[in-house]
Each structure stands twice: as structure tokens, then as C-alpha cells.
Amino acid sequence: MFLATAAIVTMILAPVAAASAATAAPVVHRVAFFGFQLINTSLEPTTPTEGERVRMLDDLFRQKLDASGRFTIVAIPPDMRQKLAAEPEISGCNGCERDLARELGADWAAWGTVQKVSNLILNINVYMEDARTGKMEFVKSVDIRGNTDDSWRHGLDYMLRHYLFGEP
């Protein structure tokens, strides 16, 4: 009787233990992040401050992904950065981001855009794509109101927390 009970308990708990082990070790994707690009469709000129905000978003994106434990940002060496600077923007390079990500040993390619419609209306877009298959793994846009450091930071933070990381 004891052996039969032990066998039944083992049959019940074995799949639970296997499922727990599978969820205990999440996949950490290696991401080649190619930065944000400002697309100014407003009637106002792009300001130096907006260029600084683009770099601020680049840094924030890298920090948030690294800190999440779900992603590792792959460093882009200086020679590849020079190559990227001489090429068309990553958002319009017709798939070159996948080749570059694979060359860097990354699983995913990521990049973003900030579209400035006016000083009141902007939107932040993030794209994350499987470097092997080309499948878009994450595509999201958030609208922000106001052209300030805080609004840009809050917009990206909101997107990452609520949509990419699934936090409440």
C-alpha cells in the first residue's frame, strides 16, 4: 500500500517539479540595441536638447533592460558604431539590423524612434526583433505630452514597465 501511494504521489509531483524547474530558469535574451532616432515631423527645428534626450533614452533603455534580469545588452564595438553612423538609420535599413545583431552574437535586435509631431505631442516607439527569424518580438508605441526630460523618461519607463516587463 505504501509503495502504491508513493508511486501515485511521485506521478503527481514529478510534472509539477519539472514545470517549476522550467520556470525557475527564464531565458535571458542577448540584445543588440542600436539606439533611438528622432524623427521630427513638426514645423519646429530639432534642438540640441532633443539630441541629448535621445541619448538619455538610449542610456535608460540599456539600464532598464540590463536591470530586468530578462535581457543582456550586447556591447557594440567602436568600429561597428562608426559603420552604423555612415549607414542609413537602423529603422530603415531593410533588415541590416538582423545581420548586425547576429554578427555581435545577439539573439535580438532592438531600436527605437521618437516622433516629434509638435512640442506638445511626441511618441516613443520600440522595436525588438529576433535576429535569426526576423519575427518582431516586441513592438510598442506610447504617446507623450510635453517635450521635457521628464516626459520622455516617463514615456519610456511606462512602456517598458507595463508592456515589456508586464508589471502592473
Side-chain angles (χ1 to χ4, degrees):
M1 178 73 173
F2 174 75
L3 289 176
T5 303
I8 291 171
V9 169
T10 301
M11 288 186 339
I12 292 170
L13 292 180
V16 172
S20 295
T23 58
V27 175
V28 177
H29 295 285
R30 293 176 45 83
V31 177
F33 175 57
F34 298 108
F36 281 90
Q37 166 196 2
L38 178 65
I39 301 170
N40 187 352
T41 58
S42 76
L43 298 176
E44 301 161 16
T46 301
T47 67
T49 304
E50 291 165 340
E52 293 168 15
R53 288 185 185 128
V54 167
R55 287 184 289 285
M56 175 189 71
L57 285 190
D58 288 348
D59 293 340
L60 184 62
F61 186 85
R62 286 185 193 96
Q63 291 167 4
K64 294 283 186 180
L65 263 64
D66 268 338
S68 75
R70 300 176 189 180
F71 302 96
T72 300
I73 298 293
V74 175
I76 299 175
D79 60 327
M80 186 176 284
R81 286 195 182 280
Q82 287 178 339
K83 178 180 172 182
L84 287 167
E87 299 292 326
E89 292 291 344
I90 206 78
S91 62
C93 73
N94 200 24
C96 72
E97 71 280 356
R98 290 188 296 274
D99 296 334
L100 294 168
R102 285 192 307 267
E103 186 178 326
L104 291 166
D107 306 313
W108 289 7
W111 67 97
T113 60
V114 176
Q115 181 183 7
K116 176 183 173 183
V117 178
S118 70
N119 270 328
L120 179 61
I121 303 169
L122 298 98
N123 67 45
I124 300 172
N125 308 281
V126 171
Y127 309 89
M128 297 176 77
E129 170 182 50
D130 185 303
R132 191 176 42 79
T133 66
K135 177 184 175 207
M136 285 303 227
E137 297 291 343
F138 180 79
V139 178
K140 195 67 181 169
S141 178
V142 294
D143 290 340
I144 59 174
R145 297 295 175 257
N147 193 358
T148 66
D149 289 357
D150 286 341
S151 63
W152 285 47
R153 192 178 302 110
H154 177 75
L156 181 61
D157 184 60
Y158 184 90
M159 177 195 298
L160 296 177
R161 281 188 302 114
H162 293 284
Y163 299 111
L164 184 59
F165 304 143
E167 297 175 8

